Amino acid sequence: MELFRKLKRMTEPKETVFVGNLFFDVTAEDVQRRMEKFGVVQQVYIVRDNRGISKGFGYVQFDTVEAAARAVQGMHLKVFEGRRATVEFAQNNVNVHMGIRSPSRTLYLGNVPFDVTDKDLGELFEGIANVVDVRIAIDRRTGLAKGFAHADFLDVESAKIGLELLRQRRPHGRRLRVDFSHSSRLGSPAEKK
């Protein structure tokens, strides 16, 4: 317990705050609306499990440390959407928690339905330009899908547009986790632009 208290004290003020003890139906928009009274909110990230369901906590990144400090002071242990919220300075800024990678021509798609078919993939990528290749990860022992895929695009700009479009799609009602990836059959972005 003493070690936990020491670690907690070592967290230095930064632009990002941790927000915990949230009901699972609280959205990023709900959090942003409340946090905007403390300063300019740059982004809100609610942590979700592999099914896309909230884990009851997230991160809010403000434009200044002062705004984050006001949020910690004004919100910690205050009732928010029916629960007492835990609001503290985060260990890292929000981009570290989101796992945001630098743009590339390859996208990682997580939370892909295990029973996805070629027809489903066609519908998923309908209207998305410059897709060169889509690979569903398959377990070599069982021959079953692993629940993720990679999609290669012709160029980085096409991948950026594809990322935004794919984040809005819900194959079989599942919310995809989409990010840039650097595992590509086309080589690294530096090799081919």
Side-chain angles (χ1 to χ4, degrees):
M1 194 63 153
E2 186 61 32
L3 175 63
F4 177 73
R5 282 193 205 107
K6 285 181 182 175
L7 285 172
K8 211 169 171 183
R9 281 195 304 262
M10 291 189 325
T11 303
E12 295 193 20
K14 61 184 58 61
E15 294 88 354
T16 301
V17 297
F18 167 85
V19 181
N21 199 33
L22 301 173
F23 274 120
F24 300 116
D25 61 350
V26 170
T27 66
E29 292 78 21
D30 295 332
V31 174
Q32 181 162 350
R33 274 193 298 276
R34 175 59 75 90
M35 292 297 186
E36 283 176 336
K37 71 180 191 178
F38 301 108
V40 176
V41 174
Q42 292 184 325
Q43 56 186 316
V44 177
Y45 177 61
I46 301 294
V47 177
R48 300 182 180 281
D49 66 15
N50 60 3
R51 297 168 295 167
I53 298 171
S54 168
K55 289 187 172 186
F57 68 93
Y59 300 90
V60 179
Q61 183 157 341
F62 290 92
D63 65 337
T64 65
V65 173
E66 293 77 22
R70 287 192 296 271
V72 170
Q73 185 174 24
M75 282 288 296
H76 185 60
L77 299 179
K78 299 291 190 290
V79 175
F80 172 60
E81 299 287 330
R83 280 189 160 174
R84 287 198 185 276
T86 302
V87 181
E88 302 170 339
F89 288 109
Q91 295 288 329
N92 298 299
N93 277 326
V94 77
N95 285 350
V96 173
H97 297 290
M98 290 178 70
I100 293 174
R101 298 179 177 160
S102 59
S104 70
R105 287 176 295 120
T106 301
L107 296 180
Y108 164 84
L109 288 79
N111 201 31
V112 174
F114 294 107
D115 58 350
V116 70
T117 65
D118 286 342
K119 181 181 178 211
D120 295 331
L121 283 178
E123 290 172 3
L124 180 63
F125 284 90
E126 188 176 325
I128 298 177
N130 298 326
V131 180
V132 177
D133 186 30
V134 178
R135 299 176 307 285
I136 299 287
I138 303 293
D139 185 301
R140 291 180 189 172
R141 289 178 296 141
T142 65
L144 301 174
K146 288 184 172 183
F148 69 92
H150 287 90
D152 293 326
F153 286 78
L154 195 57
D155 53 43
V156 173
E157 285 308 310
S158 298
K160 286 180 181 178
I161 294 166
L163 179 132
E164 293 306 319
L165 292 172
L166 288 165
R167 282 185 171 168
Q168 298 169 25
R169 307 227 167 142
R170 302 284 183 271
H172 295 234
R174 294 174 71 135
R175 180 179 168 271
L176 295 173
R177 286 194 322 267
V178 187
D179 197 357
F180 294 106
S181 175
H182 292 283
S183 63
S184 167
R185 290 184 177 173
L186 300 175
S188 72
E191 291 171 20
K192 293 185 180 181
K193 287 204 177 197

